[in-house]
Amino acid sequence: MDISEYKARIARGEYLTAGSEAHRFMLDAALQAQRITAEINGAFHTAEELRALFSELIGSEVDEGFGLFPPFYTDFGKNITLGRSVFLNSGCCFQDQGGITIGDDCLIGHQVVLATLNHDLDPEKRGSMYPAPIRIGKNVWIGAHATVLPGVTVGDHAVIAAGAVVTKDVPPYSVVAGVPAKVIKKIEA
């Protein structure tokens, strides 16, 4: 299996059976992600060096406007897609096997978690997983310690308050807060 075949399976929403070829591919990719994130997190790097390491991690070039304050954690790496001028603050954790897309000009706060997998509820199948992508629109600000769960789409220009747990789609030009997150305000365009 290669990354394009894996991504095609994920795009179809295929169930990931523990021990399957796709599951083994994920585990192999995790080793590579661990190596690269250890490099990112283990020493000081210039902005240019961080862009190069992050590009290696996700398998595509990030633009000159990309910013990262390490540490950064991911257990896959190859299913992250970034727009232009994205900033990731320190301590972010991305579980990207199900796919994470972040639009242009987004600000991702300290220790934000983006999780794209749910394990099977059946105890006999708990190692198997359901993937669902996270899609973050343009000019979104996600506050510190927020968590975005599988399958959520965040509309353009939205704000996710610090500490929110986002379980449902976020409309454009809105502010969500709480556990679970709810719309608390509309943003005037």
Side-chain angles (χ1 to χ4, degrees):
M1 174 173 290
D2 63 16
I3 190 64
S4 59
E5 183 181 344
Y6 174 84
K7 286 182 177 182
R9 286 183 180 196
I10 293 304
R12 292 189 299 268
E14 288 185 17
Y15 181 73
L16 300 171
T17 304
S20 67
E21 180 183 19
H23 190 248
R24 289 191 307 274
F25 180 82
M26 285 171 38
L27 294 175
D28 290 343
L31 294 175
Q32 183 180 11
Q34 289 170 12
R35 179 187 60 76
I36 298 168
T37 56
E39 176 68 23
I40 289 170
N41 299 334
F44 173 79
H45 298 286
T46 66
E48 294 80 21
E49 291 168 336
L50 285 171
R51 283 194 300 274
L53 286 165
F54 208 85
S55 294
E56 180 184 359
L57 176 67
I58 69 172
S60 64
E61 189 85 18
V62 296
D63 77 299
E64 287 195 16
F66 171 77
L68 170 66
F69 285 178
F72 175 82
Y73 304 97
T74 185
D75 51 3
F76 191 72
K78 298 295 186 220
N79 212 358
I80 298 170
T81 303
L82 299 179
R84 294 182 325 273
S85 298
V86 170
F87 175 71
L88 306 176
N89 218 323
S90 61
C92 289
C93 296
F94 288 11
Q95 180 196 52
D96 65 290
Q97 291 92 332
I100 294 172
T101 302
I102 301 175
D104 297 343
D105 303 309
C106 287
L107 303 173
I108 312 298
H110 290 89
Q111 298 182 341
V112 165
V113 174
L114 304 180
T116 64
L117 295 175
N118 274 318
H119 286 274
D120 199 307
L121 292 176
D122 180 347
E124 300 297 319
K125 299 177 183 175
R126 192 65 44 87
S128 298
M129 295 162 275
Y130 298 93
I134 293 173
R135 295 176 184 90
I136 299 170
K138 297 180 205 171
N139 200 27
V140 170
W141 172 25
I142 302 178
H145 297 273
T147 298
V148 180
L149 296 180
V152 168
T153 296
V154 180
D156 293 348
H157 312 287
V159 175
I160 298 172
V165 176
V166 183
T167 62
K168 296 180 179 168
D169 290 354
V170 176
Y173 291 99
S174 63
V175 178
V176 297
V179 179
K182 292 180 174 46
V183 174
I184 61 166
K185 183 177 187 176
K186 294 304 262 177
I187 298 169
E188 299 298 323

